[in-house]
Amino acid sequence: MEGIATAVAFRDDVRVRFDGDGATLTGPVTSFTVSPVRGGIREALGRLAEGPAPLPEVLEGLRPAERVQFQRFLRRAGHLTVRHIQVGGSPLMSIEQTARYADYEPAEVLADTWVRLSSFAFCRSRDNAWVLESPLAKHRALLGHVAGRGLVAELGAPQRVRDLTVRGLSQTEAAVLIAHLAGAGFVELGTAQGRFASDEDPTQRQWEFHDLLFHSRIRAGRYDGPYGRAYSFLGEIDPQPAVKPLPNGPCVDLHRPSLDDVMTNDQLLTTALEGRRSIRTYGEQPMTARQLGEFLYRVARIRARSTPEETLSDEMLSRPYPSGGSLHELELYLSIGRCEGLDQGIYYYDAVGHRLVLVSDNVTDREAMFGVAAISLGLEVRPDVVITLTSRFQRMAWKYRAIAYATTLRHTGVLYQTMYLVATVMGLAPCGLGAGNADLSAQVLGLDPLVESSVGDFVLGSRPTAHGDSARPEAGWQPVNSPDWEEATYSLLP
């Protein structure tokens, strides 16, 4: 295809350093060393470091053995290079690998080929550049030329290549760009009848866009961003304190249970695990403030605090449940509807002082919080207490990259289980909720949703009088492994 060429270069964020017979390539996340580097290989690496060069021209100056060695090197270090699709020396589009060993070949695209942008592809601004990405792809397309951006926009609807009209692109040029985008995983090629495999693929159809994108970003493998403990903002942004400053409002001290009493009255861990159920009905008598105090003390109090002096150490906390890096970014707010010894209202749990701080006594706000919980419960009942779990996101994001939000969700699940087990041994009715309203909770609790927002909700109440029966599986459930163990477990429940 006349006038169209592919050039290769090291990425702009890669530095090449020659040291004796070796060369070290340093990227934003990884480094790569190759040795020995002599003769034509050294010249070829130097040429790629200077800027885009047509690969055939780079290979032409190498001896056969060097050519094999250099191509092997490019496959191993492909994540540090960028491929430019050029017309007359001007790049229309550039493609970077976001995973190792993820080279691609351009797809075969003809004038009659049906094409469509993948439903998982998306465009965004990254490092002041317009890029195309997809959780299905192991590459990133840099759309530096307006014609490339126009082509991507046109591919939102299925059409034949010959029917594409993109300002600044001939049909031949458009076909070449589509071939690269399809080969890299951004564009789908349809059948002669205009049908696409993803529309009938049962696996892809069951993935939602945001779920697959989230999954691809929180696990290493196909994304080249910083991952894990990075301290990216060290020296630029002050970390959030481990203990959140208390809101203004009246405080209510809570009951602190005796460890001896708890140890004497508790059931075995196995009893709690086997007897754990989501209970959505409540007793005639409400839960008491004493019970709520014991529940919060055993679930979420701050047991210890550490403020190391080392620069790269974090202010850490110890609570009854585990937390990555001992950061403990989760906070608890309680909407009290029915609790003997406590006034109705919305409270913040002070995990250091083990007390409740009144945040709002507005009836409309409180009813709105209960209304969201009721929807998640199926509009059947009204719990005694709704516990809203919020995350102070920057506690995690200051230290971790890529996994910060995912780790917050893991912590939410850990705290759910802790709440379930403690409520079970205390004879309370627990239920974790799968849905919530982050905007409403931010408004009611007076939070900036980018700083602190709800990530989970848990309802709690007194257990019905016939709590042993209510904890059994509903009709139609049959024990699978050990019926006698099941019966023994039920008999031990409080």
Side-chain angles (χ1 to χ4, degrees):
M1 295 180 180
E2 188 175 353
I4 302 177
T6 300
V8 180
F10 289 120
R11 289 167 47 159
D12 291 339
D13 53 5
V14 172
R15 297 292 174 263
V16 181
R17 179 173 59 87
F18 294 102
D19 185 10
D21 285 344
T24 300
L25 285 66
T26 304
V29 178
T30 62
S31 61
F32 186 93
T33 300
V34 57
S35 179
V37 177
R38 305 187 187 98
I41 298 293
R42 189 184 185 95
E43 293 180 8
L45 290 177
R47 185 169 183 185
L48 294 189
E50 294 173 357
L55 186 57
E57 293 183 12
V58 175
L59 296 176
E60 187 177 359
L62 301 177
R63 299 192 304 271
E66 291 178 330
R67 188 174 304 169
V68 172
Q69 182 182 351
F70 188 71
Q71 288 178 315
R72 185 184 300 120
F73 162 79
L74 287 180
R75 286 194 294 271
R76 294 177 59 198
H79 60 294
L80 300 176
T81 65
V82 57
R83 186 185 311 199
H84 299 280
I85 298 91
Q86 301 177 326
V87 173
S90 176
L92 291 178
M93 183 179 296
S94 303
I95 297 180
E96 298 175 345
Q97 285 183 209
T98 58
R100 293 197 176 195
Y101 309 108
D103 197 17
Y104 73 89
E105 292 296 329
E108 183 179 359
V109 176
L110 305 175
D112 287 334
T113 303
W114 282 89
V115 291
R116 183 182 70 182
L117 195 68
S118 167
S119 59
F120 291 99
F122 64 98
C123 287
R124 70 181 179 108
S125 174
R126 179 184 184 273
D127 297 333
N128 297 320
W130 194 241
V131 299
L132 176 68
E133 296 178 302
S134 168
L136 289 178
K138 296 182 179 180
H139 298 84
R140 176 190 301 112
L142 286 70
L143 308 176
H145 196 285
V146 64
R149 297 193 290 271
L151 175 65
V152 170
E154 288 296 316
L155 293 173
Q159 53 192 301
R160 291 185 178 91
V161 172
R162 70 184 183 203
D163 297 327
L164 283 167
T165 55
V166 180
R167 187 174 181 179
L169 285 183
S170 68
Q171 187 180 102
T172 299
E173 293 165 348
V176 171
L177 293 184
I178 291 172
H180 282 273
L181 290 174
F186 296 106
V187 168
E188 295 183 84
L189 305 182
T191 66
Q193 293 74 36
R195 301 179 65 86
F196 296 88
S198 65
D199 292 334
E200 301 175 3
D201 182 352
T203 300
Q204 289 196 38
R205 288 176 59 193
Q206 293 178 80
W207 273 105
E208 292 198 54
F209 166 77
H210 62 280
D211 287 334
L212 189 56
L213 176 60
F214 180 58
H215 178 66
S216 72
R217 291 297 193 262
I218 65 171
R219 308 291 292 179
R222 62 174 53 206
Y223 187 62
D224 59 349
Y227 185 87
R229 184 174 62 181
Y231 292 103
S232 300
F233 306 103
L234 183 67
E236 299 179 9
I237 302 174
D238 291 334
Q240 291 294 305
V243 177
K244 178 182 176 179
L246 292 180
N248 296 323
C251 297
V252 179
D253 291 328
L254 294 169
H255 167 65
R256 295 173 183 262
S258 162
L259 180 59
D260 289 339
D261 290 344
V262 169
M263 297 292 288
T264 299
N265 297 327
D266 268 1
Q267 290 79 41
L268 296 172
L269 174 62
T270 299
T271 304
L273 286 170
E274 295 296 318
R276 195 272 321 145
R277 298 288 184 273
S278 292
I279 301 175
R280 300 174 179 83
T281 57
Y282 304 96
E284 293 183 5
Q285 296 300 315
M287 180 174 57
T288 67
R290 182 183 179 89
Q291 288 175 308
L292 183 60
E294 178 179 337
F295 174 81
L296 291 173
Y297 192 82
R298 298 175 66 176
V299 163
R301 79 184 188 280
I302 291 177
R303 301 183 299 194
R305 182 176 180 178
S306 173
T307 309
E309 296 181 358
E310 293 84 355
T311 303
L312 284 179
S313 294
D314 306 276
E315 187 179 8
M316 297 177 291
L317 300 173
S318 172
R319 289 175 124 163
Y321 64 93
S323 174
S326 296
L327 296 180
H328 284 289
E329 79 289 0
L330 297 182
E331 304 287 348
L332 302 184
Y333 294 81
L334 290 83
S335 299
I336 307 293
R338 193 181 70 140
C339 185
E340 183 180 325
L342 274 177
D343 293 335
Q344 292 184 329
I346 301 176
Y347 296 84
Y348 167 74
Y349 175 55
D350 172 13
V352 174
H354 186 56
R355 56 186 176 174
L356 296 178
V357 182
L358 183 64
V359 173
S360 173
D361 58 3
N362 184 286
V363 176
T364 302
D365 287 347
R366 186 175 69 250
E367 291 304 309
M369 298 293 278
F370 276 99
V372 171
I375 292 173
S376 189
L377 289 168
L379 299 173
E380 297 175 357
V381 293
R382 179 187 177 89
D384 293 346
V385 175
V386 176
I387 303 175
T388 302
L389 285 63
T390 67
S391 173
R392 292 194 291 137
F393 302 118
Q394 282 70 43
R395 276 286 290 165
M396 301 297 298
W398 189 82
K399 178 176 183 177
Y400 296 113
R401 294 297 300 271
I403 64 171
Y405 186 71
T407 304
T408 278
L409 298 186
R410 295 181 182 110
H411 293 162
T412 302
V414 168
L415 184 50
Y416 267 33
Q417 177 72 334
T418 304
M419 289 177 165
Y420 265 117
L421 296 180
V422 172
T424 298
V425 299
M426 287 183 61
L428 299 174
C431 184
L433 303 184
N437 189 322
D439 283 349
L440 173 67
S441 61
Q443 178 182 344
V444 168
L445 302 176
L447 304 174
D448 180 342
L450 293 182
V451 175
E452 181 180 351
S453 183
S454 64
V455 291
D457 300 273
F458 197 93
V459 296
L460 193 67
S462 62
R463 195 178 290 216
T465 303
H467 56 264
D469 290 338
S470 70
R472 293 176 181 272
E474 298 177 4
W477 288 79
Q478 299 295 328
V480 174
N481 291 311
S482 181
D484 58 329
W485 196 3
E486 296 287 326
E487 290 299 323
T489 301
Y490 293 130
S491 67
L492 292 172
L493 286 172

